[in-house]
């Protein structure tokens, strides 16, 4: 489950990054709300997500960066209370339906690269994007390193 920045924000971020950096494909740039791992079929998960209580539309902005291990990421600012509420509603509903979830604190971020890179880290730490409206969240499947949006639901 994820929130995807709009194309204009993706392009602005691309322009702000140093050339020659090893970044992940922009189609993978998202803010993870919950991670399930392998599931036999996405349809039952989609049914749970279709009933998730919405906190309503909200606004986010990508800003500041950091590193988890070798991964370089951008932070998330804006209506974090509503983003956290959405994350909590999704987790609670999936857990109630019997899906095992990771038990980690929620630190919203967008991973830009899985390779440590000081130039990239500096660019990300100084980056401040434009606010963008979050009006939906999506169920995403990963196939051989590629992401596929299965369904999206309005907020």
């Amino acid at each position: 489950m994820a929130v995807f920045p709009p194309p204009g924000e993706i392009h602005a971020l691309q322009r702000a990054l140093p050339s020659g950096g090893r970044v992940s494909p922009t189609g993978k740039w998202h803010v993870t709300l919950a991670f399930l791992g392998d599931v036999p079929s996405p349809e039952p998960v989609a049914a749970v997500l279709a009933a998730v209580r919405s906190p309503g539309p909200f606004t986010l902005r990508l800003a500041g960066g950091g590193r988890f291990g070798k991964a370089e990421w951008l932070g998330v600012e804006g209506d974090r209370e509503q983003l956290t509420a959405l994350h909590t509603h999704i987790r609670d509903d999936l857990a109630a339906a019997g899906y095992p979830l990771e038990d980690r604190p929620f630190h919203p971020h967008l991973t830009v690269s899985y390779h440590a890179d000081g130039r990239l880290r500096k660019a990300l730490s100084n980056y401040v994007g434009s606010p963008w409206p979050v009006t939906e969240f999506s169920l995403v499947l990963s196939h051989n390193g590629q992401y596929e949006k299965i369904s999206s639901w309005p907020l």
Side-chain angles (χ1 to χ4, degrees):
M1 287 55 61
V3 168
F4 288 86
E9 288 308 305
I10 296 295
H11 296 312
L13 175 56
Q14 283 180 299
R15 288 189 303 273
L17 299 179
S19 62
R22 294 175 61 188
V23 298
S24 58
T26 58
K28 293 178 132 185
W29 290 357
H30 66 281
V31 178
T32 301
L33 296 167
F35 178 78
L36 282 179
D38 291 331
V39 294
S41 170
E43 287 80 13
V45 175
V48 171
L49 296 176
V52 165
R53 185 168 40 125
S54 170
F58 52 92
T59 301
L60 295 178
R61 173 173 49 197
L62 301 172
R67 188 170 86 178
F68 296 136
K70 291 184 177 184
E72 306 285 357
W73 54 267
L74 261 174
V76 176
E77 295 179 347
D79 296 326
R80 297 231 349 202
E81 188 173 304
Q82 287 174 275
L83 177 65
T84 300
L86 178 58
H87 158 78
T88 300
H89 297 324
I90 289 170
R91 285 186 52 83
D92 289 351
D93 289 1
L94 289 170
Y99 289 99
L101 297 159
E102 294 180 323
D103 190 26
R104 288 193 240 177
F106 183 52
H107 295 290
H109 65 281
L110 183 145
T111 301
V112 174
S113 175
Y114 292 95
H115 305 280
D117 180 331
R119 290 182 325 125
L120 181 58
R121 189 173 324 114
K122 182 176 180 178
L124 294 174
S125 69
N126 294 323
Y127 184 79
V128 178
S130 297
W132 45 277
V134 178
T135 58
E136 68 179 18
F137 72 98
S138 301
L139 173 60
V140 181
L141 288 183
S142 176
H143 298 285
N144 299 319
Q146 300 298 316
Y147 290 172
E148 176 188 359
K149 281 187 192 179
I150 299 300
S151 290
S152 295
W153 296 272
L155 296 175

